[in-house]
Amino acid sequence: MSKSVPAKTLSFEALGLSKSLAESLNSMAIRRPSQIQIACIPQILKGRDCIGGARTGSGKTIAFAAPILQKLSEDPFGVFAVVLTPTRELALQISEQFAALGASLNLKQAVIVGGMDMIAQALVLQKRPHVVIATPGRLADHIRSSGEEAIAGLRRVKFLVMDEADRLLTPGFAEDLEECMNVMTKAKSRQTLLFSATVTQSVMQLKDSFRHIFVHEVPSNSISIPGTLNQKYLFIPTHVREAYLVSLLTLPINEKKSAIVFVNRATTAEVLKRIFRSMDVRVTSLHSQISQRERIDSLGRFRAEAARVLVATDVASRGLDIPVVQMVVNFDIPADPDDYIHRVGRTARAGRTGESIAFVTEHDIDRIHAIEERVGKVMTKYELVTESMVIRDSLQQTSNAKREALMDLERENSGSLRKKRR
Amino acid sequence: MSDSRKRDWFATEDNASDNELHNSDNEDGVSLQRQPVVKKAKQIADVKKSKRREIVEDNEEKEESRVTTAAKGSNKRTGKVDSILAFTTKDESDEDNDDDSEQELSEEETEDEEGFDRDENPNGILRQLSTTELEDNRAKIEKSGVVYLSRIPPYMKPAKVRQILSRFGELDRVFLAPEDPKSYTRRVRFGGNKKRNFVEGWVEFKNKKKAKLAASTLNGNIIGGRKGSYYYDDILNIKYLPKFKWHNLTEQIAYENQVRQAKLRAEISQATRENKTFIRNVERAKMIEHIQEKKQKKQAKTETNVKSESKPVPSTGEIEMRRNFRQRSVVMHKDKEEAMQRVLKNISA
């Protein structure tokens, strides 16, 4: 990435950040600003609104966290910034980065996400932390029910950041977002920063509604995935996917690699987890139907490489920065090509190499064409897993394990995972 | 996971094959709940029996023969034992035979899952008991009696229960149902006692007269003993269960396990069939590919011979379409944009 930096001398201090911030960035092993950071940090410091689009793993979080902390250090008060994210895990991750960056500032922050104790959160909010990192649903919940005391701080917010803006602006979040926006300062007296790897046309149209907005765009569609990513596909029938997956991940080449397997449904994730477990693969899962504690635990296990395979739904598709991931498997093909971009963006981050393998079944051909069009690249066939190998090694074993897993699931919670919650 | 947890809960002192008791059984549940299940099992077993041409002289006898063999082997066994005591249902289905034989023959590592039959395999360890042994065993069961404890004094362990009750006569098995793990974690979280608590229990006496005596003596009375002892003032609630034997406790679970096994077997055979189809298709695809390759080569040869530039080669590129699959929907960019526009309008408004 440093290649794209024009001048060698360009450092964070040259972008206008204070020395202490540059030092803490240094201690995080971030020495040279990336393209988006070079572009956005000075503009944000100037007080402009910003729409930042850059491919996955290019340092967007720092691009908004650093200038916010800089501004905060000049005039520290109540709730200074609100960061909204679509998923809880992403909120936690961003809070970690804020904590690392702001350690020297004695930064106080609050993570307001679902699945955790609401009263404790309200108490934290009352103490007016500098930065609030939240998911829209829980923040709206506080606004509705926690009383004026807790949300008073929100009325003077200087910064509103929407990470993964294109996801936040979908109808699913609309109501909660509206509620949050109503409480916060008007757009005129705060800075609004929108970031995503897939900035859509509508987000771009916000240009008109904001004052002097700065836009850092993804130059063209093809850049939205990193160049170091190697995209492959496997064209196989639906009912033998599990066997292929097991064969793929137990190949001698892949045996040591950390991999994320993306699926479209929580139940599939649970079944796959059980299959892998019966094959003695160190596996963990992340989806919406397990408790928040389990979610955090399993992500932590994967981060620490206690588990080699993470089976996840789209809750893990955006923003999560796990450097060890070397491989992303799309067990199901997402309906939205943008989701694909975010999923494969979990690997090949910050200039590392990575590999993605899509399992294309007979029903997914339209989807894969749409993805190839969106990404602007044609995938190549993955040659290392052959039919004879699957038949010999994993077919019968996997199908047995799958049936057993399905039966166990049915017995444990009579069909739905819902009951397991809480 | 659940199995292992179940095992953890386990509190019986002697490791007889009863380790899959429901802890949800309540006082009447034990005696009443069972009946329909037994009936059902009987029906199923009857149907199965009719299909088999086995010579079954006396079902009762057979069942009990298993009990004894099981009891003999019981100390070797750990883990999932298909509570052999529970086969009151006269079921002579294949599964049972398999299960038993598998356990018994586990040292010899027989993986022969299907078709093991006791009659065909006289050298199997499952041997018939002699009539006298059978008679003995039957008498033993007949003589035994079970008492029920509706409440276990706080943190009392099975050993203590055994000690208190063995005053009245020789005991056989003791089962105490542990408390709900949730309530345990709750207690521990709030700084409570970390010892395991039990909610109810069953105790088998070798002699039912002694069982009756114990029940009538202890019921509603304090435990007593040394004045300062921990349980001195605790009151026992103990009842003799008439016409109730130990195996009545385990039959429901045994039945459920059996059903589950059968279902799993069916599922797996279904999966195997699917896999076979897949393998066949793969082979066929290879064959077709091979044929096409040959054809192409041939064609190429003839073309070079003739050197006519009439037609381009109409092969491999055109694959015959046999079937169209319904394609899953794709989110259109336009729809997404529209939705987002709506959201933005709402927010800015």
Side-chain angles (χ1 to χ4, degrees), chain B residues 188-227:
Chain B
V188 170
R189 205 189 317 141
F190 292 115
N193 201 326
K194 280 182 196 153
K195 279 187 206 162
R196 279 203 301 178
N197 213 350
F198 298 96
V199 285
E200 56 181 352
W202 291 264
V203 179
E204 187 185 29
F205 279 81
K206 285 196 172 153
N207 188 341
K208 56 180 153 189
K209 272 186 192 158
K210 301 285 165 59
K212 281 174 199 165
L213 177 66
S216 59
T217 318
L218 288 178
N219 190 28
N221 284 333
I222 57 165
I223 290 171
R226 213 159 32 79
K227 184 85 173 140

Short mmCIF file of all heavy atoms in Angstrom, two decimals, chain B residues 188-227:
data_model
loop_
_atom_site.label_atom_id
_atom_site.label_comp_id
_atom_site.label_asym_id
_atom_site.label_seq_id
_atom_site.Cartn_x
_atom_site.Cartn_y
_atom_site.Cartn_z
N VAL B 188 -24.42 -20.24 42.44
CA VAL B 188 -22.98 -20.01 42.54
C VAL B 188 -22.65 -18.56 42.21
O VAL B 188 -21.81 -17.94 42.84
CB VAL B 188 -22.22 -20.98 41.61
CG1 VAL B 188 -20.75 -20.60 41.52
CG2 VAL B 188 -22.36 -22.40 42.11
N ARG B 189 -23.36 -18.03 41.20
CA ARG B 189 -23.08 -16.66 40.80
C ARG B 189 -23.36 -15.69 41.93
O ARG B 189 -22.68 -14.69 42.11
CB ARG B 189 -23.92 -16.29 39.57
CG ARG B 189 -23.24 -15.17 38.79
CD ARG B 189 -24.12 -14.61 37.68
NE ARG B 189 -24.81 -15.64 36.91
CZ ARG B 189 -26.05 -15.50 36.49
NH1 ARG B 189 -26.73 -14.39 36.76
NH2 ARG B 189 -26.64 -16.45 35.79
N PHE B 190 -24.40 -15.98 42.68
CA PHE B 190 -24.73 -15.08 43.79
C PHE B 190 -24.04 -15.49 45.09
O PHE B 190 -24.50 -15.18 46.18
CB PHE B 190 -26.24 -14.99 43.99
CG PHE B 190 -26.90 -14.30 42.84
CD1 PHE B 190 -27.79 -14.98 42.01
CD2 PHE B 190 -26.61 -12.98 42.56
CE1 PHE B 190 -28.37 -14.34 40.93
CE2 PHE B 190 -27.21 -12.33 41.49
CZ PHE B 190 -28.08 -13.01 40.68
N GLY B 191 -22.96 -16.21 44.96
CA GLY B 191 -22.14 -16.51 46.11
C GLY B 191 -22.65 -17.64 46.97
O GLY B 191 -22.27 -17.75 48.13
N GLY B 192 -23.51 -18.49 46.43
CA GLY B 192 -24.06 -19.59 47.23
C GLY B 192 -23.11 -20.77 47.30
O GLY B 192 -21.95 -20.69 46.88
N ASN B 193 -23.65 -21.85 47.84
CA ASN B 193 -22.85 -23.06 48.04
C ASN B 193 -22.51 -23.70 46.69
O ASN B 193 -23.37 -23.84 45.84
CB ASN B 193 -23.67 -24.03 48.88
CG ASN B 193 -22.79 -25.04 49.54
OD1 ASN B 193 -21.78 -25.44 48.98
ND2 ASN B 193 -23.15 -25.43 50.73
N LYS B 194 -21.28 -24.11 46.56
CA LYS B 194 -20.87 -24.70 45.29
C LYS B 194 -21.08 -26.21 45.24
O LYS B 194 -20.83 -26.83 44.23
CB LYS B 194 -19.40 -24.38 45.02
CG LYS B 194 -19.19 -22.99 44.48
CD LYS B 194 -17.73 -22.74 44.20
CE LYS B 194 -17.47 -21.26 44.05
NZ LYS B 194 -16.12 -20.91 44.39
N LYS B 195 -21.51 -26.78 46.34
CA LYS B 195 -21.74 -28.22 46.34
C LYS B 195 -22.92 -28.56 45.45
O LYS B 195 -23.79 -27.73 45.20
CB LYS B 195 -22.05 -28.68 47.76
CG LYS B 195 -20.84 -28.87 48.61
CD LYS B 195 -21.31 -29.49 49.91
CE LYS B 195 -20.38 -29.17 51.04
NZ LYS B 195 -21.05 -29.40 52.33
N ARG B 196 -22.95 -29.81 45.03
CA ARG B 196 -24.06 -30.21 44.19
C ARG B 196 -25.27 -30.53 45.06
O ARG B 196 -25.17 -31.18 46.09
CB ARG B 196 -23.69 -31.41 43.35
CG ARG B 196 -22.91 -31.00 42.12
CD ARG B 196 -23.02 -32.03 41.06
NE ARG B 196 -22.51 -33.32 41.53
CZ ARG B 196 -22.55 -34.41 40.77
NH1 ARG B 196 -23.05 -34.37 39.58
NH2 ARG B 196 -22.08 -35.54 41.23
N ASN B 197 -26.39 -30.08 44.57
CA ASN B 197 -27.63 -30.31 45.30
C ASN B 197 -28.46 -31.34 44.53
O ASN B 197 -28.40 -31.40 43.31
CB ASN B 197 -28.39 -28.99 45.38
CG ASN B 197 -29.17 -28.88 46.66
OD1 ASN B 197 -29.29 -29.86 47.39
ND2 ASN B 197 -29.69 -27.70 46.93
N PHE B 198 -29.26 -32.11 45.24
CA PHE B 198 -30.13 -33.07 44.57
C PHE B 198 -31.57 -32.79 44.95
O PHE B 198 -31.86 -32.31 46.05
CB PHE B 198 -29.75 -34.49 44.97
CG PHE B 198 -28.36 -34.84 44.57
CD1 PHE B 198 -27.32 -34.74 45.47
CD2 PHE B 198 -28.09 -35.26 43.27
CE1 PHE B 198 -26.03 -35.05 45.09
CE2 PHE B 198 -26.80 -35.56 42.89
CZ PHE B 198 -25.76 -35.46 43.80
N VAL B 199 -32.47 -33.06 44.01
CA VAL B 199 -33.86 -32.69 44.27
C VAL B 199 -34.72 -33.87 44.69
O VAL B 199 -35.63 -33.72 45.51
CB VAL B 199 -34.48 -31.97 43.06
CG1 VAL B 199 -33.98 -30.57 42.98
CG2 VAL B 199 -34.24 -32.72 41.79
N GLU B 200 -34.50 -35.03 44.11
CA GLU B 200 -35.31 -36.19 44.48
C GLU B 200 -34.50 -37.45 44.21
O GLU B 200 -33.43 -37.38 43.59
CB GLU B 200 -36.61 -36.21 43.66
CG GLU B 200 -36.36 -36.19 42.17
CD GLU B 200 -37.63 -36.17 41.36
OE1 GLU B 200 -38.71 -36.33 41.93
OE2 GLU B 200 -37.54 -36.02 40.14
N GLY B 201 -35.03 -38.57 44.66
CA GLY B 201 -34.24 -39.77 44.46
C GLY B 201 -35.02 -41.06 44.56
O GLY B 201 -36.15 -41.10 45.06
N TRP B 202 -34.43 -42.13 44.05
CA TRP B 202 -35.00 -43.45 44.14
C TRP B 202 -33.96 -44.40 44.71
O TRP B 202 -32.78 -44.30 44.36
CB TRP B 202 -35.41 -43.96 42.76
CG TRP B 202 -36.57 -43.25 42.18
CD1 TRP B 202 -37.88 -43.63 42.22
CD2 TRP B 202 -36.54 -42.02 41.45
NE1 TRP B 202 -38.66 -42.71 41.58
CE2 TRP B 202 -37.88 -41.71 41.10
CE3 TRP B 202 -35.54 -41.13 41.09
CZ2 TRP B 202 -38.21 -40.57 40.38
CZ3 TRP B 202 -35.87 -40.00 40.37
CH2 TRP B 202 -37.19 -39.72 40.03
N VAL B 203 -34.41 -45.29 45.55
CA VAL B 203 -33.47 -46.24 46.14
C VAL B 203 -34.07 -47.64 46.03
O VAL B 203 -35.25 -47.85 46.29
CB VAL B 203 -33.22 -45.91 47.63
CG1 VAL B 203 -32.26 -46.91 48.24
CG2 VAL B 203 -32.69 -44.50 47.77
N GLU B 204 -33.25 -48.56 45.60
CA GLU B 204 -33.73 -49.92 45.43
C GLU B 204 -33.25 -50.78 46.60
O GLU B 204 -32.05 -50.83 46.91
CB GLU B 204 -33.19 -50.49 44.11
CG GLU B 204 -33.77 -51.84 43.76
CD GLU B 204 -33.12 -52.42 42.52
OE1 GLU B 204 -31.95 -52.13 42.25
OE2 GLU B 204 -33.80 -53.19 41.81
N PHE B 205 -34.18 -51.44 47.24
CA PHE B 205 -33.84 -52.39 48.30
C PHE B 205 -33.85 -53.79 47.72
O PHE B 205 -34.67 -54.10 46.84
CB PHE B 205 -34.88 -52.33 49.43
CG PHE B 205 -34.65 -51.19 50.38
CD1 PHE B 205 -35.07 -49.91 50.06
CD2 PHE B 205 -34.02 -51.39 51.61
CE1 PHE B 205 -34.88 -48.87 50.94
CE2 PHE B 205 -33.82 -50.36 52.48
CZ PHE B 205 -34.25 -49.09 52.15
N LYS B 206 -32.99 -54.64 48.22
CA LYS B 206 -32.99 -56.01 47.71
C LYS B 206 -34.22 -56.77 48.20
O LYS B 206 -34.70 -57.68 47.55
CB LYS B 206 -31.72 -56.73 48.15
CG LYS B 206 -30.55 -56.26 47.31
CD LYS B 206 -29.36 -57.16 47.41
CE LYS B 206 -28.32 -56.71 46.38
NZ LYS B 206 -26.97 -57.05 46.77
N ASN B 207 -34.72 -56.31 49.32
CA ASN B 207 -35.89 -56.97 49.86
C ASN B 207 -37.00 -55.94 50.08
O ASN B 207 -36.80 -54.96 50.78
CB ASN B 207 -35.51 -57.62 51.20
CG ASN B 207 -36.61 -58.48 51.72
OD1 ASN B 207 -37.77 -58.33 51.31
ND2 ASN B 207 -36.27 -59.38 52.63
N LYS B 208 -38.14 -56.18 49.47
CA LYS B 208 -39.14 -55.12 49.51
C LYS B 208 -39.75 -54.95 50.89
O LYS B 208 -40.25 -53.88 51.24
CB LYS B 208 -40.22 -55.31 48.46
CG LYS B 208 -40.95 -56.59 48.44
CD LYS B 208 -41.97 -56.52 47.29
CE LYS B 208 -42.28 -57.92 46.79
NZ LYS B 208 -43.07 -57.89 45.57
N LYS B 209 -39.69 -55.98 51.68
CA LYS B 209 -40.19 -55.85 53.07
C LYS B 209 -39.38 -54.80 53.81
O LYS B 209 -39.90 -53.96 54.53
CB LYS B 209 -40.08 -57.18 53.79
CG LYS B 209 -41.30 -58.04 53.61
CD LYS B 209 -41.20 -59.28 54.45
CE LYS B 209 -42.29 -60.25 54.01
NZ LYS B 209 -41.96 -61.63 54.38
N LYS B 210 -38.07 -54.86 53.57
CA LYS B 210 -37.18 -53.90 54.21
C LYS B 210 -37.47 -52.50 53.69
O LYS B 210 -37.41 -51.52 54.43
CB LYS B 210 -35.71 -54.27 53.94
CG LYS B 210 -35.32 -55.64 54.43
CD LYS B 210 -35.16 -55.65 55.93
CE LYS B 210 -35.13 -57.04 56.51
NZ LYS B 210 -34.05 -57.88 55.98
N ALA B 211 -37.79 -52.44 52.42
CA ALA B 211 -38.09 -51.14 51.82
C ALA B 211 -39.32 -50.54 52.48
O ALA B 211 -39.34 -49.36 52.85
CB ALA B 211 -38.32 -51.30 50.32
N LYS B 212 -40.34 -51.37 52.64
CA LYS B 212 -41.57 -50.90 53.28
C LYS B 212 -41.29 -50.45 54.70
O LYS B 212 -41.78 -49.40 55.15
CB LYS B 212 -42.62 -52.01 53.29
CG LYS B 212 -43.32 -52.21 51.97
CD LYS B 212 -44.22 -53.42 52.05
CE LYS B 212 -44.56 -53.90 50.64
NZ LYS B 212 -45.13 -55.24 50.63
N LEU B 213 -40.49 -51.23 55.36
CA LEU B 213 -40.16 -50.91 56.75
C LEU B 213 -39.45 -49.56 56.83
O LEU B 213 -39.80 -48.70 57.64
CB LEU B 213 -39.26 -52.01 57.33
CG LEU B 213 -38.77 -51.78 58.77
CD1 LEU B 213 -39.97 -51.82 59.72
CD2 LEU B 213 -37.73 -52.80 59.15
N ALA B 214 -38.47 -49.39 55.91
CA ALA B 214 -37.71 -48.14 55.91
C ALA B 214 -38.64 -46.96 55.67
O ALA B 214 -38.55 -45.93 56.35
CB ALA B 214 -36.64 -48.19 54.82
N ALA B 215 -39.53 -47.12 54.69
CA ALA B 215 -40.42 -46.02 54.34
C ALA B 215 -41.31 -45.66 55.51
O ALA B 215 -41.47 -44.49 55.87
CB ALA B 215 -41.24 -46.39 53.12
N SER B 216 -41.91 -46.69 56.12
CA SER B 216 -42.86 -46.38 57.19
C SER B 216 -42.16 -45.83 58.43
O SER B 216 -42.72 -45.06 59.18
CB SER B 216 -43.67 -47.64 57.55
OG SER B 216 -42.78 -48.64 57.95
N THR B 217 -40.91 -46.23 58.62
CA THR B 217 -40.19 -45.74 59.79
C THR B 217 -39.71 -44.32 59.62
O THR B 217 -39.84 -43.48 60.50
CB THR B 217 -38.96 -46.63 60.08
OG1 THR B 217 -39.33 -47.98 59.90
CG2 THR B 217 -38.44 -46.39 61.49
N LEU B 218 -39.11 -44.05 58.47
CA LEU B 218 -38.44 -42.78 58.28
C LEU B 218 -39.36 -41.66 57.82
O LEU B 218 -39.06 -40.49 58.03
CB LEU B 218 -37.30 -42.93 57.27
CG LEU B 218 -36.08 -43.71 57.74
CD1 LEU B 218 -35.07 -43.80 56.61
CD2 LEU B 218 -35.45 -43.02 58.93
N ASN B 219 -40.46 -42.02 57.17
CA ASN B 219 -41.28 -40.99 56.55
C ASN B 219 -41.79 -39.99 57.59
O ASN B 219 -42.38 -40.35 58.60
CB ASN B 219 -42.47 -41.64 55.85
CG ASN B 219 -43.20 -40.63 55.00
OD1 ASN B 219 -42.60 -39.65 54.53
ND2 ASN B 219 -44.49 -40.85 54.82
N GLY B 220 -41.52 -38.74 57.33
CA GLY B 220 -41.99 -37.67 58.20
C GLY B 220 -41.21 -37.53 59.48
O GLY B 220 -41.56 -36.72 60.33
N ASN B 221 -40.14 -38.28 59.60
CA ASN B 221 -39.34 -38.19 60.82
C ASN B 221 -38.01 -37.51 60.56
O ASN B 221 -37.52 -37.49 59.43
CB ASN B 221 -39.07 -39.59 61.38
CG ASN B 221 -40.32 -40.12 62.05
OD1 ASN B 221 -41.15 -39.35 62.53
ND2 ASN B 221 -40.46 -41.43 62.04
N ILE B 222 -37.44 -36.99 61.63
CA ILE B 222 -36.12 -36.41 61.47
C ILE B 222 -35.10 -37.53 61.30
O ILE B 222 -35.33 -38.67 61.69
CB ILE B 222 -35.73 -35.53 62.69
CG1 ILE B 222 -35.82 -36.34 63.97
CG2 ILE B 222 -36.58 -34.29 62.75
CD1 ILE B 222 -35.12 -35.66 65.11
N ILE B 223 -33.98 -37.16 60.71
CA ILE B 223 -32.96 -38.15 60.44
C ILE B 223 -32.29 -38.59 61.74
O ILE B 223 -31.99 -39.77 61.93
CB ILE B 223 -31.93 -37.59 59.43
CG1 ILE B 223 -32.61 -37.48 58.07
CG2 ILE B 223 -30.70 -38.46 59.34
CD1 ILE B 223 -31.81 -36.75 57.04
N GLY B 224 -32.08 -37.63 62.59
CA GLY B 224 -31.53 -37.98 63.91
C GLY B 224 -30.08 -38.38 63.86
O GLY B 224 -29.32 -37.92 63.01
N GLY B 225 -29.69 -39.25 64.74
CA GLY B 225 -28.29 -39.63 64.84
C GLY B 225 -27.62 -38.84 65.93
O GLY B 225 -28.26 -38.53 66.95
N ARG B 226 -26.39 -38.49 65.71
CA ARG B 226 -25.68 -37.71 66.69
C ARG B 226 -26.34 -36.33 66.77
O ARG B 226 -26.72 -35.75 65.76
CB ARG B 226 -24.22 -37.59 66.27
CG ARG B 226 -23.27 -37.52 67.43
CD ARG B 226 -21.84 -37.93 66.99
NE ARG B 226 -21.54 -37.56 65.61
CZ ARG B 226 -21.20 -36.32 65.22
NH1 ARG B 226 -21.12 -35.37 66.11
NH2 ARG B 226 -20.94 -36.08 63.96
N LYS B 227 -26.38 -35.77 67.97
CA LYS B 227 -27.16 -34.55 68.18
C LYS B 227 -26.67 -33.38 67.31
O LYS B 227 -27.43 -32.62 66.75
CB LYS B 227 -27.09 -34.17 69.66
CG LYS B 227 -27.93 -32.98 70.01
CD LYS B 227 -29.36 -33.38 70.28
CE LYS B 227 -30.10 -32.17 70.80
NZ LYS B 227 -31.39 -31.94 70.37
#
